[in-house]
Amino acid sequence: MTALSLAQSAAPAEQTPRSKILEQRRKQYPELSRIVDLAQAVPPEFSASFLLRVAASARLRDQVWKKELLEQAFQSAGLAQQPVRRKVIAAGWVARSRAEVMSMGFERLLDRLSLQSLATSEMMQLDKAKALEMFQAISFPGLHQLHCEDALVDHVADYYDLLGRIIGSAFTPEELRYGRHIELLNYKIGSMDSPVQLAPMAKVLSSAVLSPEELKALTGSFAAALERIQNNDRSFSSVLPSTDEELHRFVEVLKAKSVMPDAVIAAYRAYLVRNFTSNRCADNVGKEDLLPTVVSSFNQGLASDANPNLAPLASEELQPAKIEGKANLEPFFDEAEFHEGFREFLDLWSGKDGLMGKPLTDEQKDTAEWRERFDAFLRKVDELKAGVGEPEYRYFYRKATALQALLRVAPPGPEQDKVVRKFVAFLGSSNFQQESLLEWYAQVERTASAIKELKSGAYAKFLEELEGSGHPVLILYAAAATL
């Protein structure tokens, strides 16, 4: 080997342009760079979510990096565990069921469709052509064909809101002249197969800037979708108020543009008759007088005596073929256990005045008697174990709810710090995250929200505990808290 080759091998490798860019970003944005690095070591839905937070941060002024982060988030989102967001059909003052907490988890927008829609929406502000390309790459999930025992209903309104924005501003003048936006709308209408899609799609059509000829072409497709969508009373009834409102609005838009709405009205009438006379869920029948309200709305705004296909509806003719069961919310407390725990919480929260009393002040809690009751409750929570054959989700929710109650009553100082520390340890070690990341993370967010409301630096203590937890998602949460 020559002296020259020896010198070359001993010299440090010259940085590539890409590595220089990365080094510069780390120097300019150290906190954001750390979050991006941490996001590489967590499950894909969390990676996508936190990358989106960085991309949307007002601190980040590097437009090229923003676009890179959005594309990376979009790709990670495609691997998310949950395909689509879902909402519970009913929620109480205190969440006492699995369905309610799952719905809270879905509100964090960690499903594939929501995350990819968010990434595309952010890209709209930077590069409309790229946003259109991303939107067309979204694989719309198959929606759930629900039964009466199902308590969660698919929620896709955000995706259709994005579709409206895409139609409104993502196409070039040339693409508009060739009708590319109409092709996209026709495709999306033709792929609808669930009642939850009707209202948001009708809203898109009502709001879009379309010529009478374009609307006429789309009206037939929409009427065909109404005739094609399968009966599914859980989905049908849960979204019927919004469906009815948007259908009426769409008809008014058609009339204002001199487009004959009869095909849509006739298809909607058949849709209502088909669903009201099919098998229905017991908790939907007679609910808030939904049937007479919709019938009255149809007869006053859409019906026509001159056309049999648009004839007025009669409530007495729309009786269900069969009434089936109710939604199973999967409660994680039995009534006796819940009321016993709630009574112990009220004793610590307001003393003997119960639910109607004012919360005790920190000074009023500063007694040996109160601390003794608090410690007894804490020991009870510490000793809480899963019952024989008890599902993991039920044990997780029971213990988390008890710890949440302790957080609300613990005064600033050692008691509060102790509960925060126990809560973080519980979240970090729970086996439930292997079963359902979404539900587990919903509790992380609920805990963070509860602690933010407390006094005396409790949230800072919480973030400190998360940082030291050794759990990749909890560490990432703490790092991104300032965003």
Side-chain angles (χ1 to χ4, degrees), residues 41-283:
V42 296
E45 46 271 269
F46 298 113
S47 178
S49 180
F50 283 95
L51 290 175
L52 285 170
R53 289 197 204 184
V54 174
S57 172
R59 302 181 198 176
L60 182 57
R61 297 179 296 278
D62 184 334
Q63 300 298 299
V64 174
W65 196 20
K66 276 182 183 280
K67 289 179 65 173
E68 289 178 10
L69 290 171
L70 292 175
E71 292 185 61
Q72 187 179 347
F74 186 91
Q75 295 302 322
S76 294
L79 301 173
Q81 188 181 67
Q82 293 289 343
V84 64
R85 182 181 176 189
R86 307 177 77 187
K87 279 190 171 185
V88 69
I89 59 170
W93 179 59
V94 176
R96 296 166 59 183
S97 71
R98 185 178 193 182
E100 289 173 276
V101 183
M102 286 183 72
S103 186
M104 292 179 189
F106 278 112
E107 288 174 9
R108 308 318 306 172
L109 306 181
L110 291 170
D111 60 280
R112 185 169 69 243
L113 184 63
S114 293
L115 286 167
Q116 291 194 319
S117 296
L118 282 169
T120 305
S121 181
E122 287 292 329
M123 186 64 79
M124 282 282 288
Q125 303 174 44
L126 304 173
D127 185 336
K128 287 185 169 59
K130 183 63 181 177
L132 176 58
E133 179 186 323
M134 289 168 65
F135 182 81
Q136 292 173 321
I138 295 174
S139 177
F140 192 87
L143 301 182
H144 296 85
Q145 181 66 21
L146 301 181
H147 304 285
C148 286
E149 60 266 26
D150 293 312
L152 292 164
V153 177
D154 295 329
H155 180 80
V156 294
D158 293 343
Y159 173 82
Y160 283 96
D161 286 345
L162 174 60
L163 171 61
R165 293 175 58 204
I166 291 286
I167 295 299
S169 64
F171 288 92
T172 65
E174 184 179 8
E175 288 171 329
L176 292 172
R177 279 197 304 274
Y178 281 102
R180 299 291 184 255
H181 61 312
I182 303 302
E183 290 177 8
L184 179 59
L185 283 172
N186 249 324
Y187 175 73
K188 292 301 175 185
I189 294 170
S191 61
M192 291 195 305
D193 61 3
S194 169
V196 303
Q197 295 169 282
L198 290 172
M201 179 56 85
K203 184 179 178 182
V204 170
L205 296 176
S206 299
S207 304
V209 179
L210 300 169
S211 69
E213 291 73 22
E214 290 169 337
L215 266 178
K216 185 177 180 181
L218 294 168
T219 295
S221 299
F222 191 81
L226 276 165
E227 294 170 356
R228 183 181 62 250
I229 286 175
Q230 299 177 19
N231 299 353
N232 169 357
D233 189 50
R234 177 59 68 218
S235 296
F236 165 76
S237 293
S238 70
V239 298
L240 185 53
S242 60
T243 302
D244 195 57
E245 179 183 349
E246 292 300 338
L247 259 292
H248 279 262
R249 181 178 171 223
F250 183 39
V251 167
E252 290 304 312
V253 168
L254 293 176
K255 290 178 178 178
K257 295 193 175 183
S258 300
V259 178
M260 183 69 71
D262 288 13
V264 169
I265 298 174
Y268 183 48
R269 185 187 189 283
Y271 170 80
L272 292 175
V273 171
R274 187 169 70 250
N275 280 277
F276 277 129
T277 58
S278 287
N279 294 353
R280 302 203 59 209
C281 305
D283 47 358

Side-chain angles (χ1 to χ4, degrees), residues 415-433:
E415 287 91 352
Q416 193 177 85
D417 291 349
K418 188 188 299 183
V419 178
V420 169
R421 191 161 50 250
K422 286 180 180 293
F423 219 145
V424 171
F426 169 69
L427 292 170
S429 63
S430 171
N431 295 326
F432 189 49
Q433 56 193 296

Side-chain angles (χ1 to χ4, degrees), residues 442-464:
Q443 186 58 58
V444 175
E445 290 280 6
R446 290 179 76 201
T447 305
S449 296
I451 292 176
K452 280 180 183 178
E453 298 175 3
L454 302 177
K455 305 173 186 175
S456 71
Y459 189 61
K461 176 67 176 175
F462 175 61
L463 296 180
E464 181 185 322

Side-chain angles (χ1 to χ4, degrees), residues 236-432:
F236 165 76
S237 293
S238 70
V239 298
L240 185 53
S242 60
T243 302
D244 195 57
E245 179 183 349
E246 292 300 338
L247 259 292
H248 279 262
R249 181 178 171 223
F250 183 39
V251 167
E252 290 304 312
V253 168
L254 293 176
K255 290 178 178 178
K257 295 193 175 183
S258 300
V259 178
M260 183 69 71
D262 288 13
V264 169
I265 298 174
Y268 183 48
R269 185 187 189 283
Y271 170 80
L272 292 175
V273 171
R274 187 169 70 250
N275 280 277
F276 277 129
T277 58
S278 287
N279 294 353
R280 302 203 59 209
C281 305
D283 47 358
N284 286 334
V285 177
K287 180 182 178 182
E288 299 175 353
D289 294 323
L290 194 59
L291 171 59
T293 299
V294 172
V295 166
S296 175
S297 171
F298 180 89
N299 291 344
Q300 292 177 24
L302 304 177
S304 169
D305 292 321
N307 185 340
N309 293 326
L310 314 182
L313 295 168
S315 295
E316 58 273 14
E317 297 175 359
L318 301 178
Q319 299 307 306
K322 179 183 177 182
I323 297 178
E324 299 182 331
K326 297 182 178 182
N328 177 16
L329 294 168
E330 294 184 84
F332 47 84
F333 282 111
D334 59 44
E335 287 298 315
E337 183 184 16
F338 175 79
H339 288 297
E340 179 185 352
F342 195 52
R343 178 186 55 75
E344 292 178 356
F345 162 73
L346 288 177
D347 283 348
L348 292 169
W349 185 67
S350 60
K352 301 304 180 183
D353 293 330
L355 185 60
M356 304 308 294
K358 293 182 179 179
L360 296 175
T361 65
D362 293 339
E363 290 74 21
Q364 289 172 313
K365 294 175 183 177
D366 189 18
T367 65
E369 180 189 359
W370 189 92
R371 282 193 293 272
E372 185 178 331
R373 283 189 283 129
F374 177 85
D375 289 341
F377 195 1
L378 183 57
R379 281 194 302 275
K380 191 173 181 179
V381 174
D382 271 342
E383 294 166 2
L384 189 62
K385 298 289 186 293
V388 177
E390 181 179 24
E392 186 67 28
Y393 84 85
R394 196 172 187 272
Y395 164 67
F396 176 81
Y397 286 148
R398 288 195 302 119
K399 187 150 187 171
T401 302
L403 284 167
Q404 195 109 356
L406 281 166
L407 270 179
R408 289 180 64 88
V409 299
E415 287 91 352
Q416 193 177 85
D417 291 349
K418 188 188 299 183
V419 178
V420 169
R421 191 161 50 250
K422 286 180 180 293
F423 219 145
V424 171
F426 169 69
L427 292 170
S429 63
S430 171
N431 295 326
F432 189 49

